[in-house]
Amino acid sequence: MTERYTAADFSSFGPDSLDLTKDVADLTADLLDIYSVSGEEKRIADLVEAALSSLGHLEITRDGDSIIARTNWGKPQRVVLAGHLDTVPLPAVEGSLGTVPSVWKEQDGARLLYGRGATDMKGGVAVQLALAALLTDAAYDITYVFYDNEEVASELSGLGRLMRNHAQLLTDADFAVLLEPTNGTIEGGCNGTMRFWIHTSGLRAHSGRAWKGENAIHKMADVLTRLATYQPATYEVEGLDFREGLNAVQISGGVAGNIIPDEASVHINYRFAPNKTLEEAVAHVEEVFSGYELDFVDQSAAARPGLDAPMSRSLIESVGREPQPKYGWTDVARFSEIGIPAVNFGPGDALLAHTDNEHVSDEAVRQCLRALENWLTAT
């Protein structure tokens, strides 16, 4: 059963206000109880803005359903803590976990919180909000960024919009931490991503007289063979191994059961390591599919790890775990593009993101909060 929920279906769930001083795991549950699928973030953005506005040490700027909250303590360096408010759509299976409202479960001695966005990434957002209330002074000035539309096409990104409309509030930072799920370790940089279509054309005919036509689906065989035989590479970048991937993610074609198809299309996703520029990645797929026209629909640059930045090294020391690469694309790439070193660090296992049993432990969220608090207040 598939069904597209809307915010109206969940208007009775969730808190009327956010208490940023409560246990950060319980704050995570409150955030999960607020429906905020991409494009429907207004309610959660309203509550986040109201909670932040009650804190006297922050300067608040709102743009659509994105919010920037800044301290102005006069510190010599500034850190950005960023996270997105939206989630992917909810599963529509009756009684399944990973829905709104959230569900607490005890498992193997751990207390687990289930709900859409538990890992991606309302646990991280809860840590941001808790820090905003907790830290009335720190070793750095802090810019908290909460934004909409991360889980959809890049041109809709709330962070991208903030960078266009309020660049002066972001570009003065020296370092950024994106609180995407990393299982409690630091993940440096990210792979780049691009999507494109390859189309084949033929001649429509009755399948009883197939020799009169040209089968566009059969012409797709060469493209699929190139994909099936492609050997993705792994590249070491600043001490981290980034695995690439080139995969068909959608395919379409055909008219009816008795018609030779005259059109077919395959949608391809390329995940490329940060040793390549966007232009070099485009050139690579054009070489792989030489002879075909590539119809690009999305292109996002990769980001180098940034682990050699002094603030990154101090964060690694505070976390106390070996950094790992980020295989997926994240908004660290946007910060990297404007010259701000950035890493991913947040609670929860990224492998659970977007799944119907998405969950995070209460202790994982608390550990993330402690690590960032210790780092931000260390002198």
Side-chain angles (χ1 to χ4, degrees):
M1 172 184 175
T2 59
E3 179 181 346
R4 184 69 63 165
Y5 292 123
T6 68
D9 296 314
F10 297 91
S11 59
S12 62
F13 294 109
D16 295 324
S17 62
L18 294 173
D19 178 1
L20 307 189
T21 65
K22 67 165 45 178
D23 179 85
V24 69
D26 292 327
L27 178 57
T28 302
D30 286 346
L31 293 172
L32 264 60
D33 292 345
I34 305 167
Y35 178 92
S36 60
V37 169
S38 304
E40 299 183 272
E41 300 96 325
K42 183 180 185 303
R43 184 179 172 208
I44 194 170
D46 287 346
L47 292 173
V48 167
E49 181 186 21
L52 294 172
S53 296
S54 69
L55 305 175
H57 60 280
L58 296 174
E59 175 188 287
I60 310 297
T61 300
R62 180 157 176 176
D63 184 317
D65 291 330
S66 294
I67 299 152
I68 299 174
R70 289 167 54 96
T71 68
N72 290 289
W73 296 319
K75 304 295 181 178
Q77 292 179 299
R78 179 175 290 274
V79 173
V80 172
L81 300 180
H84 62 83
L85 298 173
D86 62 319
T87 73
V88 296
L90 274 61
V93 180
E94 185 177 355
S96 72
L97 298 174
T99 60
V100 174
S102 58
V103 177
W104 283 105
K105 289 177 66 71
E106 299 287 338
Q107 184 174 318
D108 298 327
R111 190 165 180 250
L112 304 180
L113 176 63
Y114 285 78
R116 177 62 83 226
T119 59
D120 192 14
M121 58 173 292
K122 290 185 176 180
V125 170
V127 170
Q128 289 177 262
L129 291 170
L131 287 168
L134 182 65
L135 299 181
T136 55
D137 192 16
Y140 314 102
D141 266 304
I142 306 171
T143 301
Y144 302 94
V145 182
F146 306 86
Y147 56 99
D148 60 308
N149 280 307
E150 190 272 349
E151 299 287 6
V152 288
S154 60
E155 63 267 20
L156 299 176
S157 166
L159 182 57
R161 187 178 67 252
L162 289 175
M163 288 183 170
R164 292 190 299 271
N165 296 347
H166 306 281
Q168 74 281 5
L169 301 179
L170 298 172
T171 54
D172 63 346
D174 301 281
F175 188 65
V177 178
L178 189 67
L179 280 91
E180 288 277 3
T182 65
N183 231 3
T185 192
I186 293 169
E187 292 184 343
C190 68
N191 276 339
T193 182
M194 62 177 58
R195 294 181 293 109
F196 55 91
W197 289 90
I198 293 178
H199 309 284
T200 56
S201 59
L203 179 64
R204 191 177 296 194
H206 193 291
S207 62
R209 295 175 290 279
W211 63 90
K212 293 291 187 179
E214 295 179 15
N215 195 311
I217 292 179
H218 291 183
K219 289 184 177 183
M220 194 60 73
D222 175 57
V223 175
L224 298 178
T225 297
R226 295 191 197 191
L227 283 166
T229 58
Y230 180 83
Q231 296 296 314
T234 297
Y235 295 99
E236 181 180 317
V237 182
E238 298 176 15
L240 300 180
D241 291 334
F242 288 85
R243 299 176 60 181
E244 295 197 333
L246 182 67
N247 293 281
V249 291
Q250 287 178 288
I251 193 164
S252 62
V255 182
N258 59 353
I259 297 175
I260 299 301
D262 59 343
E263 293 181 346
S265 300
V266 62
H267 192 188
I268 298 169
N269 179 215
Y270 179 40
R271 301 283 177 154
F272 56 94
N275 67 324
K276 294 183 181 68
T277 65
L278 192 57
E279 293 74 21
E280 289 169 337
V282 169
H284 177 68
V285 293
E286 287 178 339
E287 180 181 1
V288 172
F289 297 105
S290 61
Y292 294 94
E293 182 178 347
L294 309 187
D295 178 13
F296 289 94
V297 293
D298 188 44
Q299 298 180 8
S300 297
R304 299 188 75 85
L307 300 181
D308 55 351
M311 296 173 75
S312 182
R313 291 198 297 268
S314 66
L315 177 58
I316 292 169
E317 183 177 344
S318 178
V319 172
R321 298 178 65 178
E322 190 71 21
Q324 300 293 323
K326 172 61 79 175
Y327 294 123
W329 186 90
T330 74
D331 279 309
V332 296
R334 295 187 189 275
F335 289 105
S336 180
E337 283 183 324
I338 62 174
I340 300 174
V343 297
N344 306 278
F345 175 64
D349 185 348
L351 295 177
L352 295 172
H354 304 184
T355 67
D356 289 354
N357 71 331
E358 188 175 356
H359 61 271
V360 67
S361 73
D362 57 351
E363 188 54 28
V365 184
R366 295 190 191 110
Q367 286 178 356
C368 180
L369 175 61
R370 287 194 295 268
L372 287 174
E373 181 189 2
N374 291 339
W375 173 63
L376 290 165
T377 56
T379 57

